[in-house]
């Protein structure tokens, strides 16, 4: 792992300015770019730590506040640790905001993030990688479908509502994806029941997408988030290995 530099940045979009965190190796080089899509709790110290770890492996990592239309992160006061008792009250405030992030807005914002990275002096030219957590897994999937010539790899971990019966479900975009795809599902995940996992897998198979999906035994929704009670250290390390393997062979 190399030394890392992290800075707060602002990204112009069609609807305003998205605040974001940028992490990259602390050198004068250019490195493959990655967009890390946040979970519902938003841009906070733990996600910065995750971005730093990924940057330490040789990537330039952008973590946008996808809720920027409602203000700069954090949108609500967050405790240092999100336990079972504190989660419901916070999610009651944040989930309605997440619901307003429509597929069209998601795609529009993804274009702004990719454009910004294309001119970032710390990022190499060429396709980028995407990784998303919780709601971010669906955002990453939509972005990969909307910009197939600009995304080489996409990963999602403990994603929710990825393959519903809704006509605009995230999985409906897989026919446009050219990236390699990896999903690490939690087997204790209320947000992605087995029938959705099967529907997503079927869609990827039928579209001929290069992909691998795994269900992590014993893992709960949110297992990568060390500042929550859902954290699972073993599953998280498995996620890191899978993610770095994916980016290592595609970026």
């Amino acid at each position: 792992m190399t030394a890392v530099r992290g800075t707060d940045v602002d990204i112009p979009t069609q609807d305003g300015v998205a605040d974001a965190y940028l992490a990259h190796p602390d050198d004068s080089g250019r490195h493959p770019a990655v967009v890390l899509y946040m979970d519902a709790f938003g841009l906070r110290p733990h996600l910065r730590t995750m971005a730093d770890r990924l940057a330490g492996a040789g990537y330039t990592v952008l973590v946008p506040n996808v809720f920027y239309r409602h203000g700069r992160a954090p949108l609500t006061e967050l405790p240092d640790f999100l336990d079972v008792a504190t989660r419901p009250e916070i999610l009651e405030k944040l989930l309605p905001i997440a619901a307003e992030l429509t597929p069209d807005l998601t795609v529009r914002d993804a274009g702004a993030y990719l454009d910004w990275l294309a001119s970032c002096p710390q990022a190499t030219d060429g396709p980028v990688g995407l990784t998303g957590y919780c709601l971010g897994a669906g955002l990453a999937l939509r972005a990969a479908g909307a910009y197939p010539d600009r995304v080489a790899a996409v990963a999602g971990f403990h994603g929710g509502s990825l393959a519903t019966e809704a006509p605009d479900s995230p999985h409906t975009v897989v026919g446009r994806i050219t990236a390699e795809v990896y999903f690490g599902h939690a087997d204790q995940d209320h947000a992605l029941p087995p029938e959705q996992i099967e529907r997503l897998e079927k869609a990827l198979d039928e579209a001929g997408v290069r992909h691998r999906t795994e269900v992590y035994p014993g893992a709960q929704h949110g297992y990568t988030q060390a500042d929550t009670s859902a954290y699972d250290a073993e599953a998280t390390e498995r996620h890191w290995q899978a993610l770095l393997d994916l980016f290592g062979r595609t970026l």
Side-chain angles (χ1 to χ4, degrees):
M1 302 291 285
T2 62
V4 168
R5 177 175 297 179
T7 55
D8 292 325
V9 298
D10 288 335
I11 302 173
T13 75
Q14 294 185 40
D15 299 314
V17 176
D19 51 309
Y21 178 71
L22 181 73
H24 57 86
D26 190 12
D27 57 28
S28 59
R30 298 163 69 93
H31 304 274
V34 172
V35 179
L36 191 158
Y37 278 101
M38 65 187 222
D39 64 354
F41 294 117
L43 180 55
R44 61 194 191 281
H46 172 63
L47 289 189
R48 289 180 169 85
T49 298
M50 293 184 73
D52 288 348
R53 177 165 176 174
L54 191 51
Y59 300 95
T60 291
V61 186
L62 181 70
V63 190
N65 167 25
V66 303
F67 296 158
Y68 70 89
R69 292 176 180 83
H70 293 266
R72 301 179 72 86
L75 299 188
T76 188
E77 185 176 352
L78 296 173
D80 293 335
F81 186 77
L82 292 149
D83 59 20
V84 174
T86 57
R87 289 165 66 100
E89 181 180 355
I90 294 169
L91 289 175
E92 185 177 0
K93 299 176 182 177
L94 295 178
L95 289 183
I97 294 174
E100 294 182 20
L101 190 57
T102 65
D104 286 345
L105 294 180
T106 296
V107 169
R108 186 189 305 173
D109 289 345
Y113 307 150
L114 294 175
D115 287 345
W116 191 89
L117 283 169
S119 62
C120 175
Q122 290 83 23
T124 56
D125 296 331
V128 307
L130 309 176
T131 184
Y133 302 84
C134 182
L135 71 86
L139 303 182
L141 193 61
R142 292 191 192 280
Y147 302 97
D149 58 332
R150 304 176 72 177
V151 177
V154 57
F157 299 92
H158 49 81
S161 300
L162 293 176
T164 70
E165 295 181 344
D168 61 352
S169 172
H171 80 286
T172 61
V173 310
V174 300
R176 301 193 295 272
I177 289 177
T178 59
E180 183 174 343
V181 175
Y182 177 88
F183 281 104
H185 305 305
D187 73 346
Q188 306 291 318
D189 198 339
H190 62 281
L192 197 74
E195 59 268 22
Q196 287 198 39
I197 294 176
E198 293 174 8
R199 189 178 294 128
L200 175 60
E201 183 74 15
K202 181 180 178 181
L204 290 165
D205 284 339
E206 291 179 348
V209 176
R210 292 170 297 154
H211 72 281
R212 181 181 178 192
T213 60
E214 297 181 303
V215 177
Y216 292 14
Q220 301 179 44
H221 182 76
Y223 63 78
T224 62
Q225 304 303 298
D227 59 351
T228 77
S229 55
Y231 178 64
D232 184 314
E234 183 178 349
T236 297
E237 288 308 307
R238 180 176 175 180
H239 131 274
W240 280 117
Q241 181 176 348
L243 185 63
L244 293 174
D245 285 349
L246 174 68
F247 289 164
R249 64 177 174 266
T250 56
L251 301 183

